[in-house]
Amino acid sequence: MPRTDKYPFRSDLRAKLVDVASRGETINYLELGAGRAMIGRYLYRIAHEEAVAGRPPLTSVVVRKGIGLPGEGFLEAMAQVGYIEEAAGQDERSVWERALRETYEYWRPKLRDDLK
C-alpha cells in the first residue's frame, strides 16, 4: 500500500465530494479545480481516509468529462484501499456502480426537508 504522507490530504476537496454525493450527483476532474498533476494523489488519499473510517469510496463520484465514468486507476485504487480484494478479474464498471450506490446511500440526507 502506498505511503499516505506522499498523498496530501485536501479537506476542501473532500468537502466538495461529500456535497456532490449528498446530492446524488457526480463531478468531473476539471470541476474539482485541483490541478492535473496532483489530482490522483489527492483522490487516493481521500479514498484511503474513507476506507480507514469504514465509509464507502467517496471518490467514486469523480468521473471523466464527456463519458461519465471514473478515470484510469480507479479499480487499482479500490484494491489498494481495500474496497475490493484485487483489481485483476474485476469488472471496473460493476465495481464503480456498486461504490457509487453505496456512497450515495451513505451520504444522502436521511431526513426530509419538511421537518416539523
Side-chain angles (χ1 to χ4, degrees):
M1 183 173 303
R3 291 183 10 224
T4 55
D5 61 332
K6 293 177 82 174
Y7 299 84
F9 184 70
R10 291 273 309 266
S11 60
D12 60 321
L13 289 182
R14 183 183 177 279
K16 190 178 283 192
L17 298 183
V18 168
D19 179 56
V20 169
S22 71
R23 290 183 277 122
E25 298 175 357
T26 58
I27 187 169
N28 70 56
Y29 291 91
L30 294 175
E31 292 173 319
L32 286 176
R36 291 183 78 174
M38 293 291 290
I39 192 67
R41 290 178 182 219
Y42 298 145
L43 293 176
Y44 174 78
R45 177 62 185 264
I46 292 169
H48 186 60
E49 294 282 344
E50 296 300 296
V52 168
R55 293 186 291 263
L58 183 56
T59 55
S60 63
V61 301
V62 183
V63 297
R64 290 181 284 179
K65 186 176 181 177
I67 62 171
L69 295 171
E72 289 185 32
F74 174 78
L75 200 58
E76 186 63 33
M78 294 300 97
Q80 289 176 347
V81 301
Y83 183 70
I84 57 174
E85 292 214 13
E86 60 182 52
Q90 296 281 340
D91 176 58
E92 183 171 34
R93 187 176 192 117
S94 296
V95 171
W96 172 67
E97 288 173 348
R98 178 172 56 98
L100 196 58
R101 273 193 313 274
E102 291 174 5
T103 299
Y104 287 163
E105 179 61 27
Y106 184 89
W107 290 105
R108 72 172 174 78
K110 306 302 189 267
L111 301 173
R112 296 191 330 231
D113 288 338
D114 61 346
L115 295 176
K116 297 183 184 196

